[in-house]
Structures are given as C-alpha cells and as structure tokens.
Amino acid sequence: MLYQLNATYMESIKPLNSWVKFVRDFNSAPWNCMRFTPASRTVNASMELMERLTDCYDEPSWGLDETIIKGEKLAIQYNVIANKPFCNLLHFRRSKAQPNQPKVLFVAPLSGHFATLLRGTIREFLPDHDVYVTDWRNARDVPLSNGEFHFDDYVDYLIEFLEMLGPDTHTIAVCQPCVPLMVATALMSAQNNPATPTSMTLMGGPIDTRINPTEVNDYASGKDLEWFESNVICTVPDQYSGVGQLVYPGFVQLSGFMSMNLDTHVQKHFKFFGDLVKGDGDNAEAHRKFYNEYLAVMDLPAHYYLDTIRKVFLEHKLPSGTLQYRGQQVDLNAITTTALMTVEGEFDDITGRGQTAAALDLCTKLRKTKKVHYEQQGVGHYGIFNGRRYREHIAPKIKAFIKKYERT
C-alpha cells in the first residue's frame, strides 16, 4: 500500500512539474527582454525550485566519458562484462590499453543510491588503474522470475566477479559492502582460491556497529526484525517490471537520510534559491549536481535488506564470530595474504569512528605489516569517498597502499 501511494502521488504531481517547467522556459525565452530583471530571476528561481521538488530523479549517467593519461585524452567505454539479475559488472575501458596497471574492483553499496554515487571516487583511479565496479540494478526492475536476493547471494556475486577478473585484483568497498567483501575474502582465502583479492580497502563500513553507534545504528538496532518486515517492506506494483518483488523502497531510505539532517537540506535549498536570484551560476550548478545524485534512489531486495539489518546491526554476527555463509562458519582468521586498509572520517555520522577499523583486529592471522588504518580529519561520511580531501589525501594513500602490495 505504501509503495502504491507513493507511486500514485508521484504520478499526480507530474502535471504541476510540467507546468512550472513551462513557466520557467517561457520566462527565460530569448525574446523576453525582462528575463534579466530581479523580478524575472525571482520567478525563474521559484519555478526551478518547485520543478526540482516535484521531479522524479532517474538513474544518473556516469559522466566519466574520458580521462587524461600522460597528457593524452582517452575515451572511456562502459563495458558490461558480467550480467547478473541484480547486478552488472561494469568495466571502464580506456580507448588505449595501459599495460601493467593494477586491477581494481570497486564494490559499490547496495543501500539505496545507484553505483554512480561513486563517480568521483572512481574518476581518481581511471588514469592509473584498470577499474571495475559492481553496478547494482534497481530491484523494482528485476522480474520476479529471477528469484530472491539474500546476503549470501551478494557474497556469491563478489566471488564470481573476482574469479572472472582473476588473480592480482585489488578491491575497494565503500560503506555497506565492507561486510560482504570481508566474508567473500575469508571464504576465498580458506579455499586458497587464486582469485583471492591482493588487497582490500574498506571505507566507512559498518564492521562493528557496537563501537561509537550513530543515529543510523540506533535506528536499526532500536527495533526488532519484525518491525522492519511490517513497516518498511513493500511489494512492487504492476507498473514496474519487478511487479510482485518484495523490496525496501528507495524513497523510504531517502526519507530517513533526509530527516537526519532536515535543517541542513532546507538551508541548502534556500541558499540555492538565493543563488539563482543573484545569478550565481556556479553555486547553483553545484547544488543541482549534488541533489541530482542524492535524490536518485533505487529499491533494495527485501531479503538482502533484512539479512543486513539482522546480521550487521541487530546481531553483530561478523565481529562476534558467529556469521555463517550457507550454513558454513565464516572464519576471518583465514585471511592471511590479503593486505587490509581501513579508512574513516573524523565526523562520519553514518558509520561511527572505529567501526571500520575493527576489521584490523578481527583479522588476527594477518601480519601487522599488511594492515593500515587512515582517518581523514574534517570529513563526514560522504567526504571519505568524494570531494577535495578525498582527491588530495585519501585517494593518493589508497593508491600508495595498492602499489605497495601489487604483485609484479
């Protein structure tokens, strides 16, 4: 019912969205000699703000069409090299082969936003790494005939992708997938799988949410699993390809995140309005780019979401040593060769300080010389993998870590 109500609401405001867009286009027409007056700019600003507040944000494009290597501009092709029901393995293929560059698999979060959220993260690695990413599909578009998707299926996908990429692959997980990546690495290590990752970088991941719990952690741990099943799990209605799928809707996740910092979002939109009136195009465009990404959300497979709530936030299976994969005990002590780096942000209000670094202590058989921790001062959760400090400090440290353990 909740999903259908939201879909009906979004459909009902489409005429309003079209109308305000028409008014803005009409007011901005070249033949309108008044379009640069303060009154006209105020009308335009009001219309654009209303348009954005009533819009439906689809999956953004990657926008990584080229990179520069040694002064030469090279085109980027987006090649899907593995097509699974719930995820594609995407390769950013440069137009000219770059031999002897490290292979890096970015494990994007399956937590409500599209993998394009890592656009800025990946951009920094394109000139000097062979880059792949898990490109998760919107669960509402996955036909019911493809079955369910659980936490263990996520682990299966990672193992399959790593085996496809072969030996000497480095992995970087951002936020939520840090847990399944550790599980996959432990399982592959226990089997002496030659495709076991050479290195594993965990960025802002909820390895042990008992450490410095955040508001997000408290929200998840303050309720039992039955509450989540009853209140946030919905059935996809018949206007989508995944009709009948049980999902955790993206709009519910977005509402939760926005409510955590509602005042900040309101202030940013007031500032956006003011920038439009003043004609500050740069700041206005920066606002558009951020919210075009932030407001584009996808549905999660319900079983995977509930598995994650139970195993990660309610029962803390990984740090307590009780996590199982398809009935088999997961032994992190099996990780003995994969170098491990953890990255945290000083002001992370989603994954508390120490939650990711806990991975270092859990891998007791891994030599200390293969363990690295870095905390970036002055950044929150998104600053760990995007923005100036990521570009200037975090990305170079990860690259140096990868280079140190690259097998030549």
Side-chain angles (χ1 to χ4, degrees):
M1 177 63 74
L2 180 62
Y3 204 118
Q4 187 62 59
L5 285 173
N6 180 75
T8 301
Y9 167 74
M10 295 304 298
E11 190 67 27
S12 69
I13 62 175
K14 280 185 177 180
L16 174 60
N17 180 265
S18 299
W19 180 78
V20 296
K21 184 177 181 180
F22 169 78
V23 172
R24 185 165 69 89
D25 290 344
F26 183 86
N27 197 55
S28 303
W31 45 261
N32 182 5
C33 60
M34 304 291 289
R35 66 184 183 278
F36 297 117
T37 64
S40 184
R41 286 204 301 266
T42 301
V43 171
N44 274 353
S46 301
M47 293 300 102
E48 181 168 356
L49 187 61
M50 181 63 70
E51 179 186 345
R52 296 186 62 81
L53 292 175
T54 58
D55 209 352
C56 181
Y57 293 84
D58 296 323
E59 179 177 3
S61 63
W62 278 100
L64 299 174
D65 299 335
E66 60 185 31
T67 190
I68 298 177
I69 301 177
K70 297 178 180 178
E72 182 180 5
K73 186 180 294 184
L74 300 181
I76 300 290
Q77 291 182 334
Y78 309 106
N79 288 355
V80 175
I81 63 172
N83 192 327
K84 305 288 288 183
F86 288 88
C87 185
N88 292 327
L89 178 58
L90 187 66
H91 180 211
F92 296 88
R93 182 176 180 272
R94 280 84 54 94
S95 57
K96 180 185 293 186
Q98 303 296 316
N100 303 320
Q101 288 191 345
K103 284 181 297 185
V104 178
L105 171 62
F106 281 88
V107 187
L110 178 55
S111 55
H113 285 100
F114 292 94
T116 51
L117 187 69
L118 302 188
R119 181 187 299 104
T121 321
I122 290 172
R123 180 184 288 112
E124 295 304 304
F125 282 77
L126 289 176
D128 41 27
H129 293 75
D130 189 18
V131 179
Y132 302 79
V133 68
T134 56
D135 193 8
W136 298 100
R137 294 185 62 191
N138 194 336
R140 76 179 188 190
D141 298 326
V142 180
L144 190 60
S145 59
N146 284 309
E148 300 172 351
F149 187 80
H150 294 257
F151 180 92
D152 288 352
D153 297 310
Y154 194 121
V155 175
D156 287 341
Y157 275 28
L158 293 185
I159 294 175
E160 181 177 341
F161 291 161
L162 285 166
E163 290 178 338
M164 180 174 294
L165 295 178
D168 304 328
T169 299
H170 301 267
T171 54
I172 300 175
V174 178
C175 193
Q176 157 270 325
C178 290
V179 176
L181 178 58
M182 284 197 76
V183 173
T185 302
L187 293 170
M188 297 176 77
S189 297
Q191 298 169 355
N192 293 316
N193 191 320
T196 300
T198 299
S199 76
M200 175 169 51
T201 300
L202 309 179
M203 306 179 71
I207 301 300
D208 189 348
T209 59
R210 297 171 298 183
I211 302 171
N212 293 324
T214 63
E215 186 176 341
V216 173
N217 303 148
D218 291 339
Y219 170 80
S221 62
K223 303 171 179 61
D224 57 29
L225 196 64
E226 288 71 24
W227 184 91
F228 289 98
E229 291 175 334
S230 302
N231 290 276
V232 298
I233 300 303
C234 300
T235 302
V236 175
D238 57 10
Q239 59 259 56
Y240 301 103
S241 302
V243 55
Q245 281 277 14
L246 291 177
V247 298
Y248 174 60
F251 65 82
V252 173
Q253 178 81 318
L254 179 63
S255 299
F257 276 132
M258 294 200 70
S259 65
M260 287 174 52
N261 299 287
L262 186 59
D263 289 345
T264 300
H265 290 294
V266 171
Q267 290 169 10
K268 285 184 176 180
H269 280 77
F270 272 117
K271 183 179 183 303
F272 174 63
F273 178 83
D275 289 337
L276 290 174
V277 173
K278 291 185 298 183
D280 188 341
D282 290 341
N283 280 334
E285 186 59 25
H287 176 97
R288 293 186 192 102
K289 287 182 177 179
F290 174 80
Y291 279 100
N292 284 351
E293 191 74 52
Y294 189 78
L295 297 175
V297 291
M298 58 184 284
D299 299 342
L300 279 63
H303 299 286
Y304 170 76
Y305 173 77
L306 294 172
D307 283 348
T308 300
I309 290 292
R310 178 174 62 83
K311 295 181 179 184
V312 177
F313 296 99
L314 295 180
E315 299 177 359
H316 313 288
K317 291 284 190 180
L318 188 67
S320 66
T322 58
L323 183 63
Q324 292 191 340
Y325 161 83
R326 303 202 182 283
Q328 170 189 349
Q329 188 72 29
V330 176
D331 183 10
L332 295 180
N333 289 329
I335 301 176
T336 58
T337 61
T338 301
L340 175 60
M341 179 178 187
T342 56
V343 180
E344 296 181 343
E346 180 184 13
F347 300 127
D348 194 334
D349 60 353
I350 293 179
T351 303
R353 294 171 71 181
Q355 291 186 13
T356 311
L360 299 170
D361 294 330
L362 293 175
C363 298
T364 58
K365 299 299 183 182
L366 185 64
R367 296 197 309 271
K368 288 185 178 180
T369 55
K370 285 201 166 190
K371 296 178 181 179
V372 177
H373 176 67
Y374 178 70
E375 180 181 298
Q376 177 61 52
Q377 302 299 304
V379 301
H381 187 70
Y382 292 99
I384 294 173
F385 57 92
N386 264 312
R388 180 178 60 82
R389 288 188 177 93
Y390 166 76
R391 294 190 300 271
E392 295 178 357
H393 302 289
I394 298 174
K397 290 186 180 298
I398 297 175
K399 290 182 181 184
F401 171 72
I402 289 174
K403 184 178 181 180
K404 181 178 180 180
Y405 294 101
E406 174 68 359
R407 297 166 185 159
T408 56

